[in-house]
Amino acid sequence: MSKHNFKPVDSSRVSISQLMQPSHSNFGGKIHGGYILSLMDQIAFACASKHSEAYCVTASVDTVDFLNPIEIGELVTMKASVNYVGRTSMVVGIRVESENIQTGTVKHCNSSYFTMVAKDDNGKTVDVPGLILNDKTEVKRFLKAIKRKDTKIHRQQEFSSDSFALDNYIEDLKGYKIKIELPEN
């Protein structure tokens, strides 16, 4: 366990800003989503490592919706905080904004949640400090993380179960742009 049993969310908040260069763009002239994901992974690592005081690895990434494209020459700012802690894992919430530095116009580009796991020098998981929630927003973020985790577990159980029966879902699939052509058994 870390030196501290509990740490406030503020103690591990991280923010980075970077000017978007032509080398970061895709074929459409916008900033490549993969480049933004790489920056997000770096800030998630920094935030989680700061909280846990340990090396951290990315276990999963949840909900990356690219809401607005990022242009070459814009200043991208990423803000990260620990929203949830388990025994050895943390959910880091990241908000990405871009700013046109000539007009001052700021766009929300995406928000995402990275689950990070703390490891020791031998690659074994280590316990992370608890979280001190200091305001209503921090409590709400913690509760939302619990809901996302519960939903993910329920979805995995529902669709990996031996009792899964396609017939129970056929009606749900009507209206989608699909054809179901299963082999005869």
Side-chain angles (χ1 to χ4, degrees):
M1 183 72 157
S2 164
K3 295 175 229 146
H4 309 287
N5 288 336
F6 288 86
K7 293 170 100 176
V9 173
D10 281 348
S11 71
S12 59
R13 252 184 241 285
V14 179
S15 180
I16 60 167
S17 295
Q18 186 170 340
L19 189 64
M20 294 295 105
Q21 307 286 329
S23 61
H24 304 139
S25 66
N26 60 24
F27 294 113
K30 308 296 183 195
I31 300 305
H32 195 291
Y35 179 70
I36 296 301
L37 281 170
S38 173
L39 289 177
M40 292 170 73
D41 193 51
Q42 290 174 43
I43 196 172
F45 170 84
C47 182
S49 295
K50 201 171 171 186
H51 180 78
S52 65
E53 299 170 18
Y55 176 75
C56 293
V57 296
T58 307
S60 70
V61 181
D62 191 19
T63 320
V64 182
D65 294 321
F66 292 102
L67 307 172
N68 288 296
I70 301 170
E71 309 290 338
I72 295 167
E74 289 185 332
L75 184 67
V76 167
T77 299
M78 296 186 181
K79 299 172 186 171
S81 64
V82 175
N83 290 357
Y84 169 88
V85 294
R87 190 178 62 78
T88 63
S89 66
M90 298 146 281
V91 173
V92 176
I94 303 169
R95 181 178 174 90
V96 180
E97 296 176 340
S98 67
E99 179 182 357
N100 179 314
I101 52 180
Q102 286 150 340
T103 66
T105 304
V106 175
K107 297 180 292 193
H108 176 213
C109 299
N110 74 59
S111 293
S112 187
Y113 307 97
F114 280 60
T115 300
M116 308 297 289
V117 176
K119 303 273 188 168
D120 66 14
D121 294 339
N122 300 315
K124 302 271 189 238
T125 58
V126 294
D127 287 0
V128 301
L131 207 52
I132 298 170
L133 306 175
N134 283 315
D135 64 37
K136 204 172 178 179
T137 301
E138 291 173 0
V139 173
K140 189 166 78 174
R141 287 177 179 161
F142 193 89
L143 289 167
K144 283 170 74 176
I146 291 170
K147 285 284 187 201
R148 276 193 309 278
K149 185 179 173 189
D150 289 347
T151 300
K152 183 177 180 180
I153 290 168
H154 175 73
R155 186 174 57 244
Q156 287 169 339
Q157 289 170 344
E158 180 180 7
F159 290 103
S160 67
S161 161
D162 290 335
S163 63
F164 174 79
L166 182 59
D167 292 344
N168 296 339
Y169 295 91
I170 292 297
E171 280 300 312
D172 296 345
L173 294 172
K174 287 198 167 124
Y176 287 92
K177 195 174 182 177
I178 58 169
K179 283 184 182 179
I180 299 174
E181 297 178 351
L182 301 176
E184 298 292 325
N185 288 359

